[in-house]
Amino acid sequence: MPKININGKEIEFEPGMTILQACEIAGAEIPRFCYHERLSIAGNCRMCLVEMDKSRKPIASCAMPAAEGMNIKTNTEMVEKARKGVMEFLLANHPLDCPVCDQGGECDLQDQSLYYGVDKSRFSENKRHVSEKYMGPLIKTQMTRCIHCTRCVRFATEVAGVPEIGAIGRGENMEITTYLEKSMESELSGNVIDLCPVGALTSKPYAFSARPWELKKTESIDVLDAVGSNIRVDTYGWEVKRILPRLNEDINEEWISDKTRYSCDGLLKQRLDTPYVKKNNKLVKCSWDEALDVIIKKFNETENSNIAGHIGDLVSLETTLAFKKFFELLKSNNLEFREKKFYVNSEDKMNYLFNSSINGIEKSDLILLVGCNPRHEATILNARIRKAFRNNKTPIFSVGNPGDQTYEYKIIGDNTQTIKDIIEEKHEFNKVFNTAKKPLIIIGESALELDSGGYIFEELKSFLNQKRLINEKWNALNILIQNASTVGALDFKILDNNNNKFEFFDNIKNNKFKILYLLNSDNLKFEKNDEFIIYQGSHGDRGAEIADVILPSAAYTEENGLYQNLEGRVQECRKASYPAGDALESWKVLNKLALAYKNKKLFDSYNTLREEVLKRLVNFNSLCQLPKYKEPSKKVNNSFKNEKMFISPMDYYFSNSISRASKVMSDCRDIKLKYLKSGTNN
Amino acid sequence: MSIKKVHSEQPENFEFNTNFKSIAEEILKKYPEKNKKSAVMPFLYLAQKQNNNWIPLAAIKYISKYLSMPYISVYEVATFYSMFNLSPVGKYFVQVCTTTPCLIRGADKIVKVCKQKISDKENQISQNGKCSWTEVECLGACVNAPMMQINNDYYEDLDEKSTSKIIDSIFKDKILKPGSYRGRKNTSPEESKTINGSEHA
C-alpha cells in the first residue's frame, strides 16, 4: 500500500483515498462542511484546507486524491490562518441567530467556529437575506443561514434518487430550493435535515420544541416497517420529541425513512390510557379489574375452539411468545398473524427471510423483483438497491409494475406466466440470469397473495436450488415482508397449522369464532358479526373501534422488546418513555389476564420471558447477527394459474396505527394524494 | 444582480416551431446520445429566441423532457446565466454595462437616461411597451466605454446626448447604426486614423 506523510507521521492508505480520508486514519482532525462520506465530493466549502509540500497555496483535502510520498501538514500556522479566513467568509453572511435557531447545540458551524474561527467579525456591511422556501410539511427552511455546501442537493440526486433540490442563481445570490418550491417527493427527505451542517434545513414538526441537551437519548430500533432501522429516540419527560437515525452499516447506514422519523407525534395522540368496556353499545372507561372480569366471564362461557387471536404488525417477540403461551392456557390454537391471505411455508426459516441480507444487495450483479414495491414496502432497503444501481450499475428487472422506484428497471412481464417461463428456462431473461454470478430474487407479499403464490414461491426456490444459488455463501432467495412482527410470529408458528388453506380467515367470515383477541392488530380486514372482540393495543385505531373490551398497552418506545427484522437479525428495542396513563407493557397485560383466568402467571419476570424467547428462536445466532444457515427442506408442490401480477398499492404514510394517529403523516399523505390527482409529477 | 424573478403570467404550453425544431435536432447531433443534456444551453437560447426574448416555465419543462433532465437542472442553468430572461422584456432590450471601466467613463449617466426615458426600475417595460433596460456586468467592450447593448448590437462611446438619441429613435422603430458614437473606427484611437497617430501602414 502507498504511504503518505501526515504531520510527520508516515501512514499507509488505500489507493483512491483522498487526503482528508488519509488524515482521518492518521488521527488528524479536519474541519469540513460540504464533504460527506456517502455523497459525491463537491469541494465548495473550502474548510478542509491543509498544507502540502511543494504547493504554495493550501489545498482542499476533501477533493485532492492522496498520492505516494505526499507530505501533508494540518497543524501549521498557514493552515490555521486559512481556516480562520474561510470561517470568516462563511460567517460574513450567516446570521448570528443561534439563540433562536433549532440547530443550536448540534450545529457544525457553531462547533467549528468555536474551534477554528476568529472571535470577532470585521464584516460591517449588511448581511444578505434569502426568503424562506417551502419544501413540504417535513422540512422547515431558513435559507439565510445556508452556507451552500450542497449536501442536500447531492443527497436528493444521489441517495434519494429524486433530483428536485437545486441551487439557483449564482455567486452571492445563490439559493437552494426545490423546483418552484414544491414539496420534496421522497420517502427519505427527512435525512437532509441531518445532513444540513447549519440550521438552514430543520425539522418542521420539531421546530422550537426542545434543545438537544435537555433530551434523554435512548438507542433503539424502528418497528414501523420490517427493515429494523437503528434509531435514537429523544424524549423530554414522557413525550417522544423526535427520532433520529443511528449508524448501522448492515441495515440503514445512516438514513431512516420519513415514516420512521416523523410518526413520533402519533405516539402522543389517540392513546389508549385506560381500559374500556362496551356498555349499551358505547365504550366507557373502566378499571382493569372490571375489564378483566368481563373478559374472564366471556372466556368461561365460550368453547375454547371458538376463541381466536390475531397478532398485529408492531408486536415484539416477547409479546408474541406470551400471546402464544396464553392461548396454550386457553387450549386454543386459532392464531394468525397475517393481515392478508399470502402464502407462507414456515418449514424453513429461509422461506420468510431476506436471505441475501441488505449488505448483499451491493454484492449482487442482478436483481429481479417479483411482485414487490420496495420503495414503499421497505424504503431503506430500496435505497440500497439504488446504491447498487448507481455504484455497480446492477441491472434490475421486475415482474409486475411497481411504479417509480427511483432507479431504472426493466419490466419483463406482468403475469405469472412469465415466472413459469423463467422456471422452465423458456424466457429470454434466462440468458441474462444464467450469466449472473450473484443474482438476487426478491419476492413481495403481493406475489404470494396471488392464487399461484404457492407455485411462485416453491418453484422459484427449487429453481434457485437447482442452480446452486442457495448455499451458505450466497442465498438468492429473498422474501420482502412488510411487518416488524412477521418473522417472529413465523418463528413461533403463529399461524394455522393447516398451512396455506387460510382457515382462520374463512372461520372469521363464517362467524365461527365467538371471541376474537386482537393483539395490536389494526390492519386485519373483516366484517364484524356477533363475535366478542378484545383489543389490546396502544392506539385508538381501527381495532379499538370495533372492540368490546379494550386493554391499553405500551407502544414500541415504551417497553423493552426484541424484534426480528426481515433478514432475521434480532435487535433490541429499548424503553425510552413509559406507557400512557393506566396502560401496561404488553406482556404484563397478558400476564395479568392469565393470573385472573387460571390464577397462574405466564412468566415470573421479564428476564425469564426473554430467555425463553431467545431459546425458542429458530436458527438463532446472536443479537444483531444474521441467523445461522440450514439446508432447505424438500419442496411442496403447488398448482399454477396464469393471472396478472398485481402489486397491491400500499398506503405508505398510513400503514400502521401510530402513523395513522400522526398529524405529520396525514399531511404528507394529503400532499401525495393531491399530486397523484393533479398528475404534476416531476 | 439579484435572483431572477419568474414572471407571474405564464403561457401554458411551449413547443419549438418547425424551423427551431430542425435547428434543435441539428444541435443534438453534436453531442453523443448519453451526453445529450449538454445541449441545454443552446436549447434555452433557442427557446428565448422563439418566445420574444424570454423563457417561460413551459419551455423549461419542454426542454427538460426533450433532454431527459430533471426540471430543476434546467431551471438552475436558466437562473445562473444572466443572458437568459425569465420574464418578458421589451421589443428592444437595452443592457447597460456598469462594470468598472464603463462606470469610470460615465455609465451612471447612461443609466440615468434609461431611467428617465424608459422606466424607473430595471426590467420594467416602458409605457409605450417597446423597450426595457437592465444593468449588466462587463460586456467586453471596455476600450469603447461606456457602452450598451440593444438586442444584438453594441452602441459604444456613449454620452447622455447620444444615448437619448438612440433611445428616442428606437421608440420610433428606427434602429440607428451600431458602433462608436464619437466617430471612432472600431477601437482605433480617437482623432487619428492610425494606431500611433501618424500615417503608418
Side-chain angles (χ1 to χ4, degrees):
Chain A
M1 278 208 287
K3 281 185 183 128
I4 187 168
N5 191 314
I6 291 163
N7 293 341
K9 204 162 96 185
E10 191 143 277
I11 58 143
E12 286 186 336
F13 66 94
E14 275 172 42
M17 273 185 169
T18 60
I19 294 179
L20 191 143
Q21 285 169 320
C23 287
E24 263 173 8
I25 299 177
E29 197 184 321
I30 298 203
R32 86 284 306 260
F33 293 111
C34 71
Y35 174 82
H36 193 274
E37 303 89 47
R38 279 169 231 282
L39 303 175
S40 63
I41 292 165
N44 49 13
C45 76
R46 316 308 287 182
M47 195 61 203
C48 62
L49 294 175
V50 294
E51 190 181 339
M52 182 173 74
D53 261 14
K54 291 175 198 146
S55 164
R56 276 187 290 171
K57 295 194 281 181
I59 52 163
S61 61
C62 72
M64 178 72 116
E68 171 76 49
M70 270 182 175
N71 201 355
I72 305 291
K73 288 194 192 83
T74 68
N75 49 9
T76 58
E77 212 170 286
M78 179 200 195
V79 175
E80 198 189 329
K81 211 177 151 197
R83 284 172 184 167
K84 276 189 175 157
V86 170
M87 188 53 96
E88 202 174 349
F89 274 125
L90 287 174
L91 291 176
N93 272 322
H94 189 86
L96 287 176
D97 60 354
C98 301
V100 293
C101 175
D102 251 341
Q103 192 86 352
E106 47 185 7
C107 173
D108 285 357
L109 190 66
Q110 206 177 32
D111 295 348
Q112 292 183 28
S113 68
L114 180 69
Y115 287 109
Y116 306 106
V118 269
D119 52 354
K120 278 191 201 101
S121 171
R122 292 182 289 176
F123 187 78
S124 54
E125 285 78 7
N126 287 333
K127 294 193 180 227
R128 79 176 193 144
H129 177 264
V130 183
S131 58
E132 266 184 48
K133 302 275 184 285
Y134 176 76
M135 284 201 190
L138 304 178
I139 305 164
K140 181 174 183 275
T141 64
Q142 180 67 262
M143 296 320 280
T144 307
R145 295 178 188 144
C146 178
I147 57 166
H148 306 131
C149 67
T150 68
R151 276 187 189 181
C152 51
V153 179
R154 283 173 285 149
F155 175 82
T157 15
E158 291 160 20
V159 179
V162 282
E164 287 173 15
I165 305 185
I168 60 166
R170 62 170 162 177
E172 204 202 359
N173 299 300
M174 186 166 138
E175 291 180 10
I176 301 283
T177 178
T178 51
Y179 181 66
L180 302 181
E181 300 195 27
K182 291 224 171 72
S183 69
M184 196 176 158
E185 246 181 274
S186 166
E187 291 75 27
L188 290 166
S189 64
N191 292 302
V192 297
I193 294 163
D194 294 337
L195 284 173
C196 187
V198 295
L201 306 177
T202 50
S203 169
K204 213 175 230 177
Y206 169 72
F208 307 129
S209 57
R211 282 297 192 185
W213 56 83
E214 55 187 11
L215 295 171
K216 191 185 108 192
K217 295 147 188 107
T218 314
E219 300 198 333
S220 185
I221 61 149
D222 172 55
V223 304
L224 302 183
D225 60 20
V227 180
S229 304
N230 286 219
I231 54 168
R232 194 185 88 192
V233 183
D234 284 7
T235 47
Y236 186 80
W238 175 72
E239 274 180 61
V240 175
K241 284 286 180 192
R242 61 171 178 179
I243 286 172
L244 294 176
R246 194 152 56 87
L247 185 73
N248 188 331
E249 294 290 350
D250 296 327
I251 301 170
N252 57 321
E253 299 189 299
E254 58 188 86
W255 322 122
I256 52 172
S257 65
D258 286 351
K259 186 159 64 179
T260 306
R261 188 187 297 260
Y262 290 112
S263 287
C264 62
D265 71 320
L267 290 165
L268 311 174
K269 294 185 186 112
Q270 293 195 20
R271 289 305 299 269
L272 300 170
D273 54 358
T274 170
Y276 286 84
V277 163
K278 196 171 245 176
K279 279 179 190 159
N280 302 328
N281 228 357
K282 226 177 145 189
L283 283 167
V284 283
K285 286 184 183 179
C286 67
S287 68
W288 272 102
D289 291 337
E290 205 182 333
L292 293 182
D293 280 348
V294 175
I295 295 172
I296 303 300
K297 211 175 130 213
K298 205 79 194 171
F299 276 151
N300 290 334
E301 280 170 13
T302 317
E303 210 173 296
N304 289 336
S305 63
N306 289 340
I307 304 175
H310 189 268
I311 282 192
D313 49 351
L314 311 172
V315 180
S316 69
L317 292 174
E318 285 92 337
T319 317
T320 311
L321 185 68
F323 197 55
K324 192 178 167 74
K325 284 256 177 176
F326 181 68
F327 267 72
E328 277 166 17
L329 207 67
L330 286 172
K331 297 198 184 65
S332 156
N333 51 9
N334 300 317
L335 284 173
E336 185 56 74
F337 75 93
R338 283 174 282 194
E339 291 159 352
K340 289 171 191 156
K341 297 180 186 179
F342 65 83
Y343 175 90
V344 67
N345 177 354
S346 62
E347 199 76 5
D348 290 339
K349 183 144 181 167
M350 74 164 68
N351 291 356
Y352 47 88
L353 289 187
F354 196 92
N355 294 300
S356 312
S357 84
I358 295 175
N359 268 341
I361 294 172
E362 280 177 62
K363 290 180 204 136
S364 80
D365 50 5
L366 184 145
I367 296 172
L368 174 65
L369 309 172
V370 180
C372 63
N373 175 2
R375 180 171 179 183
H376 288 164
E377 289 166 18
T379 311
I380 294 299
L381 191 139
N382 197 50
R384 275 305 173 95
I385 301 181
R386 180 172 160 79
K387 194 177 173 192
F389 169 78
R390 231 183 102 82
N391 294 351
N392 316 334
K393 299 202 167 57
T394 313
I396 300 160
F397 301 89
S398 171
V399 182
N401 182 3
D404 184 9
Q405 294 295 309
T406 71
Y407 42 78
E408 285 165 34
Y409 59 90
K410 200 178 158 197
I411 298 175
I412 52 168
D414 63 352
N415 48 27
T416 46
Q417 184 64 38
T418 317
I419 294 170
K420 197 172 183 218
D421 287 348
I422 292 171
I423 288 159
E424 288 164 0
E425 304 251 5
K426 284 198 297 211
H427 201 278
E428 264 182 43
F429 173 74
N430 286 90
K431 282 183 211 150
V432 194
F433 188 82
N434 288 339
T435 56
K437 288 197 182 77
K438 284 187 165 183
L440 205 148
I441 292 183
I442 304 175
I443 306 171
E445 283 183 13
S446 296
L448 301 176
E449 260 175 64
L450 300 172
D451 289 340
S452 46
Y455 175 88
I456 293 173
F457 173 75
E458 296 293 346
E459 295 297 324
L460 274 177
K461 186 181 171 190
S462 79
F463 170 75
L464 290 173
N465 208 6
Q466 272 166 24
K467 298 226 173 239
R468 296 172 193 280
L469 287 169
I470 295 183
N471 53 54
E472 205 169 348
K473 285 202 181 105
W474 185 255
N475 193 334
L477 179 75
N478 294 295
I479 310 297
L480 194 70
I481 51 156
Q482 295 176 8
N483 294 342
S485 64
T486 303
V487 178
L490 277 161
D491 265 7
F492 297 138
K493 304 256 183 302
I494 308 280
L495 70 172
D496 47 17
N497 290 337
N498 200 351
N499 221 311
N500 297 292
K501 293 225 174 66
F502 305 113
E503 273 175 12
F504 184 87
F505 295 89
D506 294 340
N507 286 337
I508 288 189
K509 213 174 170 188
N510 303 335
N511 202 9
K512 185 186 172 248
F513 297 141
K514 296 298 166 210
I515 297 181
L516 186 58
Y517 196 134
L518 298 176
L519 181 66
N520 230 326
S521 164
D522 293 292
N523 295 339
L524 182 67
K525 285 197 180 96
F526 67 98
E527 285 202 8
K528 191 187 171 184
N529 293 311
D530 64 340
E531 58 268 80
F532 182 81
I533 293 177
I534 305 165
Y535 178 78
Q536 178 187 334
S538 55
H539 283 71
D541 199 48
R542 294 171 189 166
E545 241 166 58
I546 49 168
D548 294 285
V549 180
I550 292 173
L551 303 175
S553 65
Y556 74 104
T557 49
E558 292 152 10
E559 57 182 353
N560 288 318
L562 296 169
Y563 286 86
Q564 257 189 105
N565 80 344
L566 44 70
E567 306 166 282
R569 263 181 231 276
V570 181
Q571 297 186 100
E572 216 177 345
C573 184
R574 293 198 186 86
K575 183 172 176 159
S577 175
Y578 39 87
D582 284 344
L584 290 174
E585 288 175 21
S586 314
W587 74 276
K588 277 188 187 158
V589 175
L590 292 161
N591 226 7
K592 210 175 167 96
L593 206 53
L595 199 65
Y597 180 53
K598 284 270 155 89
N599 207 8
K600 195 181 138 199
K601 269 189 187 175
L602 289 173
F603 298 97
D604 289 331
S605 71
Y606 177 73
N607 286 342
T608 51
L609 170 58
R610 173 172 279 201
E611 267 167 38
E612 188 161 347
V613 165
L614 293 177
K615 222 185 290 166
R616 288 177 65 157
L617 283 178
V618 183
N619 301 356
F620 177 64
N621 197 344
S622 64
L623 278 185
C624 301
Q625 295 297 313
L626 291 173
K628 289 176 196 145
Y629 175 80
K630 233 176 171 178
E631 287 298 321
S633 53
K634 267 190 194 152
K635 88 168 192 197
V636 189
N637 282 322
N638 275 285
S639 62
F640 173 75
K641 186 181 152 199
N642 189 9
E643 59 197 313
K644 196 173 180 310
M645 179 68 78
F646 176 72
I647 300 173
S648 33
M650 183 178 175
D651 202 348
Y652 176 75
Y653 293 110
F654 256 24
S655 64
N656 58 66
S657 56
I658 297 175
S659 303
R660 278 191 289 266
S662 155
K663 188 175 172 296
V664 183
M665 287 289 105
S666 82
D667 288 349
C668 290
R669 183 168 174 263
D670 287 348
I671 284 175
K672 200 175 165 191
L673 291 177
K674 211 168 83 191
Y675 278 158
L676 285 179
K677 239 189 225 162
S678 66
T680 47
N681 202 316
N682 199 351
Chain B
M1 204 191 87
S2 63
I3 213 139
K4 282 186 250 180
K5 280 229 172 71
V6 175
H7 194 51
S8 51
E9 286 163 39
Q10 293 278 342
E12 276 199 6
N13 290 309
F14 178 88
E15 219 169 284
F16 284 146
N17 58 31
T18 30
N19 182 22
F20 279 68
K21 180 109 181 172
S22 61
I23 300 174
E25 286 300 321
E26 276 308 305
I27 293 168
L28 265 191
K29 280 184 199 153
K30 292 184 194 163
Y31 306 101
E33 174 63 24
K34 69 177 168 61
N35 292 345
K36 66 176 173 186
K37 64 180 170 190
S38 303
V40 64
M41 284 184 57
F43 270 44
L44 282 169
Y45 182 65
L46 277 184
Q48 175 157 306
K49 217 168 165 185
Q50 187 184 317
N51 193 60
N52 299 325
N53 213 4
W54 72 286
I55 302 169
L57 286 177
I60 288 181
K61 271 194 180 178
Y62 174 72
I63 290 170
S64 55
K65 275 183 191 148
Y66 205 128
L67 302 174
S68 335
M69 291 167 79
Y71 296 164
I72 184 79
S73 309
V74 182
Y75 189 57
E76 277 177 332
V77 175
T79 53
F80 186 93
Y81 292 99
S82 60
M83 283 164 192
F84 293 131
N85 302 316
L86 295 184
S87 40
V89 294
K91 185 179 167 198
Y92 301 102
F93 183 44
V94 180
Q95 301 176 57
V96 187
C97 173
T98 52
T99 308
T100 323
C102 283
L103 199 62
I104 293 171
R105 301 280 290 159
D108 49 336
K109 287 177 196 149
I110 296 170
V111 169
K112 221 165 115 191
V113 174
C114 287
K115 278 186 183 168
Q116 276 168 8
K117 296 245 166 200
I118 304 172
S119 58
D120 257 4
K121 281 180 194 158
E122 276 185 282
N123 294 316
Q124 218 174 35
I125 295 174
S126 62
Q127 277 187 338
N128 57 13
K130 284 214 170 117
C131 197
S132 70
W133 71 278
T134 183
E135 284 183 29
V136 291
E137 300 306 328
C138 186
L139 289 171
C142 314
V143 187
N144 297 51
M147 60 79 66
M148 65 183 181
Q149 182 183 357
I150 302 180
N151 290 353
N152 293 325
D153 295 320
Y154 276 20
Y155 293 83
E156 297 155 342
D157 295 329
L158 301 170
D159 53 25
E160 282 157 294
K161 222 170 134 193
S162 50
T163 313
S164 309
K165 202 173 99 190
I166 294 165
I167 293 172
D168 284 342
S169 78
I170 57 170
F171 277 163
K172 290 176 200 144
D173 281 323
K174 244 197 269 167
I175 297 158
L176 294 182
K177 196 175 131 286
S180 171
Y181 271 70
R182 268 204 317 263
R184 285 163 77 188
K185 191 185 173 198
N186 298 336
T187 57
S188 59
E190 263 176 287
E191 294 159 12
S192 155
K193 290 197 174 69
T194 53
I195 289 168
N196 54 9
S198 60
E199 291 296 320
H200 197 270

